[in-house]
Amino acid sequence: MSARPVGASARQDMFSARSQTTTRREEQKSDRPDTRNQNETGGEGGSNFEGIGSSDDMLELEHVIGYTGHYWETLQAHPVDPTVYVKSMGSVVAICDTGDPHNQQFLRAHDMEISAMSISPSGNMIASGQVGTVHQPGYHAPVIVWDYATKKDLFVLTGHTKQVRLLEFSPDERFLAGTGDDCLLYIWDMQTGEVVFGKKFDEPVILFEWASIRENGRRASYEIILCSPGGGPQDDVRHCELSYDPVRAQWTLHAQNVNMPSGGLSRTYFSAMLSPDNEYMLCGTSVGDMLVFNLKNSVYRASVPVCSSGLVSIEVNAETGDVFKLKT
């Protein structure tokens, strides 16, 4: 009988024992039923994963709640459909229904937040302008005109930079006026999408209102009220007429200053509305009063205190002449 020398290596016996243990584990594993394929296909003993990722299991978007609200007049009621309103949600124009919150349509084309909106008197067109884009050089701020029926864009109007401030359709929907932080005023023809008039002011135009339309030969002339604070308190509000000059073959804007109090009246205008007969214009200001202007004589008439903060919206009932106001 031979004995292992003291200190001799037992490595060979160790590997032999590990090999025997591994063999026994493989034998036990081979005796177990193979349920791997059943688990993957949803068979017995496994979870049923059939249909994951299919359209049947996708969540359906019911409706979106939200309003950016950083800029004036970006929430407007549709002039014809009594339950429809239009609002801005970031860079998206949302058409919503007060009777059915699930009835929503979204108009996407802007790449920055919407800063101005307008709906034509018939409700057939929607105009939206944006903040100047940071994705291209020049901070261009396009204006997009949408067809309400098809929800598709009719025109992409360029020219403004930095930010579009105001958009206003003319009463006959022939023109669209736009003002911006670049101190520019553009008037576009809604039949062709071309610019018919453009002018740069010393300061941005913060108020623009179409008034009456007068027949003037083949082409009508348009009465306009605008405000640009660059000329001082006496020159802020201007009574204008947009007419076609047949000699120059172009549209021109003739302006005269509205007569203000002798001491001047410096205001920041938030809103404006014409009386049903187009004889008076009511303006809401940042100090909370409502200024009354006589358009026939181009003269300031009165200042009516309304609130201690800004008067942001004014509406006039066309039948009764009642004035409705929204204050901050």
Side-chain angles (χ1 to χ4, degrees):
M1 180 177 178
S2 60
R4 178 176 295 175
V6 177
S9 175
R11 184 178 300 272
Q12 184 176 1
D13 295 341
M14 180 179 66
F15 284 132
S16 298
R18 179 176 299 178
S19 178
Q20 295 174 2
T21 302
T22 303
T23 303
R24 287 196 298 270
R25 288 179 179 175
E26 292 177 352
E27 292 176 354
Q28 293 175 0
K29 185 176 180 181
S30 62
D31 294 337
R32 298 174 184 173
D34 188 5
T35 59
R36 180 180 58 186
N37 294 334
Q38 294 179 355
N39 291 340
E40 292 177 353
T41 59
E44 296 180 0
S47 301
N48 186 4
F49 293 102
E50 184 179 0
I52 291 295
S54 65
S55 59
D56 295 338
D57 294 328
M58 299 295 289
L59 293 177
E60 179 182 357
L61 177 65
E62 291 191 352
H63 63 281
V64 179
I65 300 175
Y67 169 55
T68 308
H70 292 160
Y71 303 96
W72 302 120
E73 299 184 354
T74 51
L75 173 61
Q76 299 188 20
H78 194 274
V80 177
D81 293 338
T83 62
V84 175
Y85 64 96
V86 183
K87 64 180 180 179
S88 65
M89 298 179 65
S91 61
V92 176
V93 177
I95 303 176
C96 307
D97 193 331
T98 58
D100 182 6
H102 305 286
N103 183 17
Q104 290 182 315
Q105 295 173 301
F106 302 101
L107 310 181
R108 301 179 178 89
H110 294 285
D111 62 352
M112 296 294 290
E113 185 175 351
I114 293 172
S115 57
M117 279 191 352
S118 181
I119 305 177
S120 64
S122 68
N124 293 331
M125 293 182 289
I126 301 173
S128 57
Q130 68 172 59
V131 176
T133 182
V134 297
H135 306 292
Q136 298 177 4
Y139 298 100
H140 297 288
V143 173
I144 301 177
V145 180
W146 308 87
D147 184 275
Y148 177 72
T150 63
K151 307 302 186 293
K152 296 182 179 180
D153 58 291
L154 296 174
F155 303 109
V156 178
L157 310 175
T158 59
H160 280 300
T161 58
K162 298 181 180 178
Q163 174 191 318
V164 179
R165 272 182 170 262
L166 295 172
L167 292 172
E168 292 290 341
F169 284 98
S170 62
D172 60 357
E173 303 184 6
R174 171 71 188 277
F175 299 113
L176 172 68
T179 72
D181 280 358
D182 51 7
C183 304
L184 289 171
L185 165 66
Y186 283 114
I187 298 178
W188 293 279
D189 191 329
M190 287 294 93
Q191 296 179 350
T192 63
E194 297 179 351
V195 175
V196 298
F197 179 80
K199 182 178 180 178
K200 187 176 181 65
F201 292 80
D202 295 332
E203 295 290 336
V205 176
I206 60 176
L207 178 69
F208 187 98
E209 284 291 327
W210 297 91
S212 61
I213 302 177
R214 303 187 184 95
E215 295 298 329
N216 187 14
R218 295 178 55 188
R219 293 181 174 86
S221 61
Y222 298 79
E223 185 182 14
I224 296 171
I225 307 297
L226 62 84
C227 176
S228 176
Q234 290 285 356
D235 303 329
D236 281 357
V237 182
R238 306 175 191 182
H239 193 183
C240 310
E241 182 183 49
L242 178 69
S243 59
Y244 186 79
D245 187 345
V247 176
R248 298 181 179 180
Q250 65 182 17
W251 290 87
T252 58
L253 189 70
H254 303 280
Q256 64 176 352
N257 296 330
V258 174
N259 294 326
M260 302 294 287
S262 58
L265 193 65
S266 180
R267 292 289 190 273
T268 298
Y269 298 94
F270 283 164
S271 58
M273 194 68 191
L274 298 174
S275 61
D277 57 3
N278 287 334
E279 186 174 350
Y280 294 94
M281 183 177 71
L282 312 177
C283 297
T285 72
S286 59
V287 300
D289 60 351
M290 181 175 66
L291 302 188
V292 182
F293 297 94
N294 186 315
L295 300 183
K296 183 178 180 180
N297 301 319
S298 298
V299 63
Y300 160 84
R301 297 297 299 172
S303 172
V304 181
V306 177
C307 58
S308 58
S309 54
L311 183 58
V312 299
S313 181
I314 300 175
E315 290 294 333
V316 179
N317 189 314
E319 297 179 358
T320 65
D322 294 337
V323 178
F324 302 90
K325 49 195 176 295
L326 177 63
K327 55 189 178 181
T328 57

